[in-house]
Amino acid sequence: MFCREHVERIVKECFTTYGGSCLDTPVFERKDILAGKYGEDAKLIFDLKDQGGEELALRYDHTVPLARYLAMNGAITTQHKLWQVGKVYRRDNPVMSKGRMREFSQADFDISGVWDPMLPDAELISLLCTILTRLEVGDFTVKVNHRKLLDGIFEVCGVPSDKIRTISSAVDKLDKLPWADVKKEMTEEKGLDPVVADKIGEYVKHKGGPELLELLKADSALLANASAKLGIDEMELLFKYLDAYKVMNKISFDMSLARGLDYYTGIIYEAITEASAPPGFEAANAFASSSTIATSSAQTHAPTPPKKKSKKPAAEGEEEEVDESQVGVGSIAAGGRYDNLVGLFTSAAAAEGKKAPQLPCVGVSIGMDRIFAIVWPKWVERGMRSKETMAYVMAAGDGLIAERIRLVQELREAGIKSDYLFKKKPKLPAQFASGERDEAPFAIILGGDELKEGLVTVKEQKWEFVNGEKRKIQSSDQGTKVKRAELIDWLKNTTAFKEWHNGKLIDV
């Protein structure tokens, strides 16, 4: 939990640094509020009824509750930045080791209102890069695409308008499945003409950076499509701003990124790390060797996924067992622009014939549990702390319980997190053992004679790794005599106090 709180603290600090205000919404909503917003993922919504029989459901994300909140306020909260951190719920197959759960935490930052094009979108991608860098999740990539560009591509390729969303959902699986499987889903399961599917494949195989825009701008069929042209123009503007934010080195323009949720209308993005993909798939490549697409020379084929372990068939009414070895953490953050979602609610509430207010929005959602699944092993490996206790107050000899209490309270009031052993006359070894369990860097020892002279003894404690095990460094140092009246300033001026907090390395 200390590690989880460390992750949450950094996220919230970044949210406030970028000018956000905190919002809290209920964990349940009316079922009709959530219905029809998530496409094929709607099956993951937890349905429930209250004691009066009202149709309710646990929230699937923070975005739809936010849109409902904005609509209830008349969609007049223009040009606002709002953030939420809280639990969301999905009736999915849990894989705990991969941060995939039915109840999990998400942190959202959303910008509402009419702004100049792509400025809030670039702001959110910059925020995301800042957070992931500070959390030290390792190398990460933010994949970006544009729904209008994708819709234009589908139109140019000949996808019927009533199939665009469902085909988009299939394309979004290209980071997990080879092209042959995705094409099979589009043609055999969703009834798309194989010729149309192959045309789509020629587009969605591309990924890169600003140079990919030049390739798209040379495609006369795309530029003739109004939706695709708008998407290309906005992506060009986005890259210009991301360059100013100095994050272009983290960006991949990935045309296979589709984001399955129905409410996205513009820019879409998701962040992945090396740990995000399932075994057998290289990051940023999901085209299998059986693909009929003529891939570019710069693109390699993804290796064939290893065969899944045999598992027992699910009994009637039970869900199929998940093979954890084949499940990646997935994207650790995602988001995009949803300009029409608030309008859906205001339109439903408006009087007949009356124009309902619209409120464009763009947001990002960070999967806190997925990030924790990546950060925690590193936290353990690097010997990070499990508490913030900085000073452990001890006494030699008579116990000096009142003196220990007074000193602990003085330290706490001065902002130095401190503790002591709840015994009147504890032995010194027992007090040291208790302080060592808290990994407190300072042992403050009180003695009757020293107190009469106005002194205390401070012994700095350090830890190291020996054969992969964290151990306290044994020292013959008897500590430093410090004037009792100057103790607080002395502690705050030490290197250990300045650097050793909120999970800093034990081995300082």
Side-chain angles (χ1 to χ4, degrees):
M1 282 305 300
F2 186 74
C3 177
R4 289 172 65 92
E5 289 171 353
H6 168 76
V7 170
E8 187 170 312
R9 183 162 46 243
I10 286 177
V11 170
K12 288 180 177 179
E13 283 176 1
C14 292
F15 281 175
T16 54
T17 297
Y18 274 68
S21 301
C22 185
L23 176 70
D24 185 39
T25 58
V27 297
F28 65 88
E29 296 279 351
R30 282 187 2 218
K31 185 179 175 182
D32 62 294
I33 292 291
L34 302 183
K37 312 297 189 304
Y38 301 110
E40 295 181 4
D41 285 344
K43 63 182 181 291
L44 301 179
I45 294 174
F46 268 107
D47 289 349
L48 53 100
K49 289 184 179 180
D50 70 6
Q51 291 175 331
E54 186 179 5
E55 296 281 346
L56 301 171
L58 295 177
R59 65 186 178 197
Y60 178 95
D61 62 11
H62 291 305
T63 307
V64 172
L66 169 67
R68 188 263 309 152
Y69 163 81
L70 292 171
M72 286 181 68
N73 283 274
I76 56 173
T77 314
T78 58
Q79 297 192 338
H80 209 17
K81 295 178 174 181
L82 294 169
W83 61 265
Q84 302 180 72
V85 177
K87 297 287 185 69
V88 297
Y89 303 84
R90 297 183 189 177
R91 197 177 183 278
D92 206 347
N93 289 317
V95 186
M96 294 293 289
S97 63
K98 308 294 184 179
R100 185 166 299 177
M101 309 173 193
R102 289 185 168 188
E103 176 188 79
F104 53 96
S105 294
Q106 282 191 336
D108 282 37
F109 193 106
D110 295 81
I111 302 177
S112 64
V114 179
W115 305 74
D116 285 346
M118 307 315 292
L119 283 170
D121 311 69
E123 171 93 339
L124 286 181
I125 293 176
S126 167
L127 167 64
L128 176 57
C129 291
T130 299
I131 289 171
L132 297 182
T133 299
R134 284 197 57 190
L135 287 172
E136 298 180 303
V137 298
D139 290 338
F140 66 88
T141 299
V142 179
K143 300 194 294 184
V144 298
N145 201 2
H146 202 294
R147 264 289 175 80
K148 285 186 168 55
L149 172 58
L150 205 55
D151 289 351
I153 287 171
F154 291 154
E155 290 171 8
V156 168
C157 291
V159 178
S161 58
D162 62 337
K163 289 185 182 291
I164 284 181
R165 285 283 76 85
T166 185
I167 295 303
S168 177
S169 182
V171 168
D172 195 49
K173 297 174 183 176
L174 276 170
D175 63 336
K176 304 177 185 70
L177 297 173
W179 166 251
D181 289 353
V182 173
K183 180 182 175 182
K184 182 178 179 181
E185 179 180 332
M186 289 194 292
T187 55
E188 296 183 16
E189 296 179 26
K190 298 181 175 176
L192 189 67
D193 186 327
V195 174
V196 174
D198 286 337
K199 288 181 181 177
I200 292 172
E202 289 291 344
Y203 282 107
V204 298
K205 72 181 181 183
H206 292 296
K207 48 187 61 70
E211 73 283 351
L212 180 51
L213 282 174
E214 300 306 314
L215 182 67
L216 297 176
K217 286 160 71 175
D219 189 324
S220 57
L222 268 188
L223 289 184
N225 180 280
S227 179
K229 186 177 186 308
L230 178 59
I232 292 170
D233 290 344
E234 290 196 341
M235 288 294 287
E236 193 166 31
L237 196 55
L238 176 70
F239 288 158
K240 175 185 174 183
Y241 296 145
L242 292 179
D243 184 59
Y245 275 111
K246 300 180 181 178
V247 295
M248 273 306 295
N249 62 320
K250 299 294 187 182
I251 305 302
S252 170
F253 182 8
D254 189 332
M255 295 184 65
S256 71
L257 178 65
R259 303 292 303 150
L261 301 180
D262 278 2
Y263 50 64
Y264 288 127
T265 58
I267 187 76
I268 49 177
Y269 38 84
E270 68 178 30
I272 59 170
T273 69
E274 187 179 350
S276 295
F281 289 92
E282 294 176 351
N285 182 18
F287 286 90
S289 55
S290 59
S291 169
T292 58
I293 293 179
T295 54
S296 67
S297 59
Q299 189 174 22
T300 58
H301 294 300
T304 304
K307 291 183 180 178
K308 294 185 179 182
K309 300 174 186 174
S310 60
K311 53 190 177 187
K312 297 184 216 176
E316 187 175 350
E318 293 182 358
E319 294 186 355
E320 196 174 75
E321 179 187 347
V322 175
D323 179 3
E324 291 200 18
S325 68
Q326 300 303 313
V327 181
V329 169
S331 61
I332 57 175
R337 175 161 287 280
Y338 53 102
D339 286 345
N340 301 328
L341 189 55
V342 176
L344 287 178
F345 295 119
T346 54
S347 297
E352 188 175 348
K354 186 177 179 182
K355 187 176 180 182
Q358 302 291 313
L359 189 62
C361 298
V362 60
V364 63
S365 180
I366 298 164
M368 304 292 273
D369 291 276
R370 291 188 174 185
I371 286 177
F372 173 73
I374 294 171
V375 171
W376 173 246
K378 298 179 181 180
W379 183 279
V380 174
E381 180 184 326
R382 295 164 62 187
M384 307 295 256
R385 300 188 65 189
S386 59
K387 268 191 174 183
E388 291 187 72
T389 306
M390 292 300 299
Y392 206 90
V393 178
M394 311 176 188
D398 193 39
L400 301 172
I401 183 63
E403 288 80 358
R404 280 189 287 146
I405 291 173
R406 288 191 191 97
L407 180 53
V408 164
Q409 200 60 13
E410 281 181 35
L411 293 171
R412 289 171 177 170
E413 289 172 357
I416 299 172
K417 297 174 183 180
S418 309
D419 209 348
Y420 71 103
L421 194 61
F422 290 175
K423 287 190 175 182
K424 288 195 293 184
K425 293 185 178 182
K427 293 181 179 179
L428 197 56
Q431 295 176 85
F432 266 107
S434 184
E436 287 171 17
R437 281 195 297 273
D438 286 352
E439 296 172 351
F442 298 105
I444 302 175
I445 307 162
L446 305 182
D449 293 340
E450 286 86 350
L451 284 177
K452 290 175 184 176
E453 298 173 22
L455 299 172
V456 298
T457 301
V458 182
K459 186 172 182 180
E460 191 170 340
Q461 305 182 107
K462 299 183 180 182
W463 280 256
E464 64 181 349
F465 278 102
V466 179
N467 298 324
E469 184 180 339
K470 186 166 61 177
R471 296 180 186 173
K472 182 185 172 186
I473 299 174
Q474 299 302 320
S475 171
S476 58
D477 178 25
Q478 297 301 305
T480 304
K481 301 288 184 184
V482 179
K483 288 183 180 179
R484 172 78 165 73
E486 299 174 1
L487 177 61
I488 290 170
D489 288 338
W490 188 92
L491 289 171
K492 288 186 174 181
N493 283 322
T494 61
T495 301
F497 183 85
K498 293 174 181 176
E499 296 183 356
W500 196 350
H501 62 93
N502 293 345
K504 276 287 185 182
L505 285 175
I506 293 304
D507 187 13
V508 293

